[in-house]
Amino acid sequence: MTHTAATNLPLAKPRKLLWETGVIAVITLICAVLLPFVLPTFRLKFLGRFVALATAALGIDLIWGYTGLLSLGHGIFFALGGYSLAMHLKLQIPEGELPNFMVNYGVAKLPWFWQPFHSFPFTLVALFTIPALVAAVLGYLVFRNRIRGVYFSILTQASLLVFFFFFKGPIELFNGTNGLKTDKDLIFGVLASSNQAQLVFYELSILCLLLAYILCRWLTSGRFGRTLIAIRDDENRMRFSGYNPTGFKVIVFAVSAALAGVAGALYTVQTGIISPSTMEVPFSIEMVIWVAVGGRGTLIGAVLGTILVSIARTLLSEQFPEFWLFFQGGLFLIVVTVLPDGLMGWFKNEGPDQMRLLLGRPRKVMTYPSLAEDPEVEYERQNLRN
Amino acid sequence: MSDKILEIENVTVSFEGFKALNQLNFSMDTGELRVIIGPNGAGKTTFLDVITGKVQPTTGRALFKGKNLRSRSEHNISRLGIGRKFQTPRVYLQLTPRENLDLSCNRHKNVLATLWGRPSGPERRTVAGLLETIGLTTKADIPAALLSHGEKQRLEIGMLVAQSPDLLLVDEPVAGLTDEETENVGNLLLTLADSHSIIVIEHDMEFVRQIARQVTVLHQGAVLCEGSMDEVQSNPQVIEVYLGQPEEDDG
């Protein structure tokens, strides 16, 4: 893709946006309307989970791909969203009763922080606000003290462990490592694991992914998006231009956490369980791998990477259950060494040119497009040749 | 109200005992173009760091338009109206020159205003005008990473102007430029000097002669002498610590 001359820009932009909207609308419609009829229920459930995970990947892309902060702790926010919804489902029991596991561990009264989860509207708001608030507080403390780079990554990972033990520790509060199972619970009077409910979750996942995409697209375009890229490239320079990066980073981290929370909630009801294992280190790293494979700094790449890696994971795990982790590690190595910008990055930059070279039709190289396309320059070039 | 735009009073900056600035006193009138020279390690960059809030003075204070700059963060100082150009050009490489200028030109730099705001008509015209001034109109929409070193230097000066600061701090604007580019940058600075107060830090003596009206010589963290270029050049102390060597090199 080349940049067109400056004068064409105002025209080219809306047309490009129109194309993008069209393509996305078609894909969304195919996934939402056509696939439920085509795919067997069992496969559709898998796809629904991947779509939910892709929402989290968009969040990672926002904070890592655009703002340059590698978070290795998004499992926290994913789990917080998941636990919020699971707690609500666990409370779909006759008035005054306690969830099963609490009875088993001899809890007499529902803990105070479980109380508000009786309410569905509260749960709906909580499942993205709680992760966003946690991220905002954590982010504010970290960013205000100008902790960056690898130190930020280490801090997020350390927080991950804190939350892991918080949810794993007191077994009577969150059922410890067993986690909360939601498949036997009711949601609006329907069994959460029934095909009917699962189809609704599938459609909701697609809707959420679409909304998340639109949100991220809006955030990353325009001045705000350019500010994020500038922060990624040279944060200190931003300060001397009069920007305070802290606020920008806190907002982006919070939005990114909210997306992970939504993803966590949708993933939980589709798998039927949320447990502290989502806060183990490998899962948070896996989220980063999805974005790396798809191409960081491109929103489509994050979605594509998640779905491709997850499909590969499912197919491979079915065939060779014990080899997935090796494969995942290998995939990461390949991406880092061969495709540093991921699939989308390759496709955007050198991909088409390499393909043309392979086909024996290399592209005409231009140093400065707006100069090279200048009619006078073109005229001169042709006359010089003759 | 004094018409001093910048006053530095008895500033000492010490890094674990090493005094980068030592009881420095300096003041500058509004609208002045001042060149600061001095041998390596004289404290020139630390001097700018103190003004822009990157380094806090150990003792003493810096006043900008009568306001104390102590314990203000960098972005606050920048918003007061001090712009800084760094020694090596620091532009946002992934953004185009137009976007680089637009970010600096943005009048409301808090989070929400940036999120909701669109570049206004006047701002867009300012950016287009600046692109012309720094000669980057044809390259306005390619990533800044593809610009040459000299073009990046000019872009960064453009970004500085886009901020419309009252005081410009320019650290070695012609390092690594060809003679012709150097002269262009010199003329650019002289044009800017009509409407801004400017401090230029420079090593290149030819360039200093081109633009200098008032020169301050720093040595070992303190002001050695001040005056016109001729006065400074004939000062025996200055010749001893600094000017002597480059002159011989030139010959």
Side-chain angles (χ1 to χ4, degrees):
Chain A
M1 263 195 249
T2 60
H3 288 264
T4 44
T7 43
N8 292 341
L9 267 183
L11 262 177
K13 252 186 177 171
R15 201 175 297 160
K16 228 173 144 188
L17 196 67
L18 211 67
W19 259 104
E20 194 185 337
T21 318
V23 169
I24 287 169
V26 169
I27 294 175
T28 313
L29 281 177
I30 290 178
C31 289
V33 182
L34 199 63
L35 285 186
F37 293 107
V38 181
L39 283 181
T41 322
F42 161 71
R43 290 288 175 203
L44 195 68
K45 266 188 182 171
F46 275 111
L47 188 61
R49 289 176 203 176
F50 304 159
V51 171
L53 294 178
T55 312
L58 278 179
I60 298 269
D61 200 17
L62 207 56
I63 189 77
W64 182 43
Y66 284 91
T67 323
L69 298 159
L70 176 58
S71 162
L72 294 179
H74 261 54
I76 300 172
F77 313 122
F78 189 88
L80 283 173
Y83 269 99
S84 300
L85 190 56
M87 280 159 80
H88 174 70
L89 291 182
K90 278 285 153 215
L91 292 174
Q92 300 307 302
I93 40 178
E95 191 69 35
E97 277 186 29
L98 290 176
N100 285 338
F101 73 92
M102 285 196 184
V103 179
N104 293 345
Y105 294 115
V107 177
K109 191 171 167 291
L110 196 64
W112 61 269
F113 58 86
W114 274 73
Q115 300 283 0
F117 287 96
H118 276 296
S119 145
F120 183 68
F122 174 84
T123 310
L124 212 55
V125 174
L127 65 86
F128 65 89
T129 357
I130 293 179
L133 283 176
V134 170
V137 171
L138 182 71
Y140 179 72
L141 294 174
V142 171
F143 301 142
R144 201 192 51 152
N145 293 312
R146 305 196 181 175
I147 296 170
R148 287 188 294 158
V150 70
Y151 302 99
F152 171 75
S153 305
I154 291 170
L155 260 168
T156 50
Q157 193 150 86
S159 324
L160 189 71
L161 288 177
V162 171
F163 276 84
F164 176 72
F165 287 111
F166 175 72
F167 278 93
K168 188 184 155 186
I171 199 163
E172 69 281 3
L173 297 182
F174 298 110
N175 205 17
T177 40
N178 301 325
L180 303 177
K181 281 204 167 67
T182 61
D183 46 2
K184 300 279 187 304
D185 294 316
L186 300 177
I187 181 160
F188 292 115
V190 182
L191 194 66
S193 59
S194 67
N195 284 345
Q196 189 195 353
Q198 289 295 323
L199 184 64
V200 174
F201 294 143
Y202 170 77
E203 300 288 354
L204 270 178
S205 302
I206 290 184
L207 181 69
C208 284
L209 180 60
L210 183 67
L211 292 178
Y213 182 84
I214 294 171
L215 175 73
C216 292
R217 189 73 177 71
W218 175 63
L219 285 177
T220 55
S221 56
R223 260 185 187 162
F224 190 80
R226 292 198 287 272
T227 316
L228 299 186
I229 292 175
I231 289 175
R232 181 186 70 192
D233 286 353
D234 196 341
E235 183 181 341
N236 281 327
R237 184 73 182 79
M238 282 304 271
R239 297 180 199 277
F240 294 104
S241 300
Y243 288 92
N244 184 3
T246 310
F248 288 90
K249 287 156 83 178
V250 168
I251 294 269
V252 170
F253 195 39
V255 169
S256 152
L259 292 179
V262 172
L266 286 166
Y267 189 76
T268 299
V269 285
Q270 293 184 79
T271 47
I273 187 170
I274 178 79
S275 73
S277 69
T278 49
M279 281 177 283
E280 279 169 1
V281 173
F283 181 60
S284 292
I285 292 179
E286 202 185 322
M287 292 194 211
V288 172
I289 294 182
W290 300 331
V291 178
V293 168
R296 64 195 164 121
T298 60
L299 296 173
I300 295 280
V303 175
L304 211 67
T306 313
I307 294 186
L308 288 181
V309 174
S310 301
I311 289 177
R313 177 195 190 140
T314 314
L315 295 181
L316 270 164
S317 313
E318 280 168 8
Q319 303 297 322
F320 325 95
E322 60 274 25
F323 284 116
W324 165 246
L325 278 177
F326 289 104
F327 178 74
Q328 184 179 320
L331 191 66
F332 195 57
L333 282 180
I334 290 174
V335 167
V336 168
T337 51
V338 184
L339 297 173
D341 296 321
L343 289 174
M344 283 311 287
W346 178 80
F347 184 71
K348 259 189 174 169
N349 300 327
E350 64 267 34
D353 289 354
Q354 282 180 6
M355 290 309 230
R356 286 172 88 152
L357 204 64
L358 278 180
L359 294 173
R361 296 185 50 137
R363 194 167 67 100
K364 196 168 72 177
V365 179
M366 290 193 282
T367 34
Y368 290 109
S370 49
L371 284 182
E373 281 168 3
D374 192 317
E376 270 177 44
V377 175
E378 187 68 20
Y379 176 79
E380 212 174 79
R381 186 187 292 134
Q382 273 166 13
N383 281 318
L384 279 178
R385 216 173 269 161
N386 295 336
Chain B
M1 232 357 240
S2 67
D3 57 351
K4 296 275 182 213
I5 192 157
L6 185 71
E7 290 161 279
I8 309 285
E9 294 170 355
N10 288 318
V11 164
T12 299
V13 172
S14 100
F15 297 119
E16 292 168 13
F18 168 73
K19 284 182 177 162
L21 293 183
N22 190 4
Q23 295 288 316
L24 181 87
N25 280 293
F26 176 91
S27 76
M28 178 176 156
D29 293 330
T30 306
E32 212 186 315
L33 169 67
R34 181 74 69 96
V35 179
I36 295 181
I37 58 175
N40 283 327
K44 299 181 302 274
T45 300
T46 310
F47 176 71
L48 293 192
D49 286 347
V50 167
I51 301 172
T52 50
K54 199 176 168 199
V55 167
Q56 289 295 332
T58 316
T59 61
R61 58 178 194 163
L63 301 176
F64 173 69
K65 291 189 200 164
K67 284 180 209 136
N68 196 342
L69 295 178
R70 175 174 280 280
S71 72
R72 285 181 194 263
S73 53
E74 294 99 321
H75 65 272
N76 273 328
I77 290 178
S78 161
R79 286 180 198 177
L80 280 181
I82 298 183
R84 176 172 184 182
K85 189 210 155 299
F86 287 82
Q87 216 162 332
T88 47
R90 281 170 78 174
V91 299
Y92 310 115
L93 298 176
Q94 306 295 315
L95 300 176
T96 67
R98 193 189 298 279
E99 290 167 342
N100 267 291
L101 291 171
D102 177 67
L103 273 188
S104 298
C105 190
N106 184 5
R107 285 287 148 266
H108 306 282
K109 289 179 175 162
N110 59 38
V111 180
L112 291 179
T114 310
L115 191 52
W116 299 108
R118 292 262 157 273
S120 65
E123 278 173 358
R124 238 177 274 158
R125 276 193 292 280
T126 311
V127 169
L130 274 171
L131 280 170
E132 203 154 311
T133 312
I134 57 176
L136 288 177
T137 309
T138 48
K139 298 178 183 177
D141 296 300
I142 61 172
L146 300 178
L147 298 180
S148 73
H149 180 75
E151 286 164 339
K152 284 181 197 153
Q153 292 276 33
R154 291 210 301 269
L155 175 58
E156 200 182 8
I157 295 177
M159 286 164 70
L160 209 60
V161 180
Q163 261 171 267
S164 69
D166 301 317
L167 175 63
L168 275 81
L169 309 174
V170 188
D171 200 350
E172 298 198 18
V174 296
L177 295 192
T178 63
D179 289 350
E180 194 193 340
E181 283 173 321
T182 301
E183 208 181 318
N184 284 339
V185 170
N187 290 333
L188 184 60
L189 285 174
L190 286 173
T191 318
L192 291 173
D194 294 338
S195 47
H196 301 81
S197 312
I198 306 182
I199 294 181
V200 180
I201 288 185
E202 194 43 74
H203 274 302
D204 184 330
M205 282 305 143
E206 279 303 313
F207 179 69
V208 173
R209 257 179 226 115
Q210 183 195 345
I211 62 166
R213 296 164 195 175
Q214 223 22 35
V215 179
T216 299
V217 185
L218 286 191
H219 181 54
Q220 293 179 347
V223 174
L224 189 69
C225 82
E226 255 175 24
S228 71
M229 192 63 191
D230 290 333
E231 284 167 23
V232 165
Q233 268 180 308
S234 53
N235 184 318
Q237 271 181 304
V238 175
I239 295 171
E240 193 186 328
V241 302
Y242 187 60
L243 282 180
Q245 286 127 340
E247 290 285 89
E248 281 164 23
D249 288 349
D250 283 352

